[in-house]
Amino acid sequence: MATITGVAGVVLVVAGGLAVTPTGGPLDWQPLPANRLVAASNDGHPALVEFTAYWCINCKVLEKMVYVDPGVVREAHHVSLVALRADLTRPHPALERQLAAWGGTGLTFAVVLDDRGRVVARLSGIFTSNAIEHAIEPSVTRGGPR
């Protein structure tokens, strides 16, 4: 039996898991209802919001390789980051409006919000774990009124 290697192997493995947009995992992903985002910013927690869909292969690559990277997980836990997943598998006008409001034009797209709910980073396309780590670092404001 031949061994699958490289990007083709990753795409095949990822494609096998397309039917589920999981919650939980190392970042404890939660679904994104509008009130969850408001609660996260009111509690003073930074947030990572991923816009995804079960049919989005590039989203699955990020979910299987980037968001589970030990450096990303360590940085997220260090700042008490709330990880939220906006599922656009089916049309969802409210989530689509939020995607556009944050500057997204399609999938893949993620945004990092600081502990006051302000956008500190927008990420689109295939990005690296290093890009996420650097986006998370400034997500906690230091001092000043809330």
Side-chain angles (χ1 to χ4, degrees), residues 48 62 65-76 112 121-123 126-138:
L48 167 64
L62 293 172
M65 300 185 76
V66 174
Y67 297 129
V68 297
D69 179 86
V72 171
V73 174
R74 185 173 41 256
E75 188 66 30
V112 176
R122 292 174 181 85
L123 302 131
I126 296 290
F127 43 86
T128 65
S129 54
N130 194 34
I132 287 282
E133 286 180 61
H134 287 297
I136 293 171
E137 285 173 13

Side-chain angles (χ1 to χ4, degrees), residues 63-97:
E63 291 164 10
K64 301 279 186 189
M65 300 185 76
V66 174
Y67 297 129
V68 297
D69 179 86
V72 171
V73 174
R74 185 173 41 256
E75 188 66 30
H77 289 164
H78 176 72
V79 300
S80 300
L81 182 107
V82 176
L84 301 168
R85 209 163 249 157
D87 188 353
L88 293 174
T89 299
R90 291 185 170 77
H92 193 299
L95 291 179
E96 291 165 11
R97 283 191 299 275

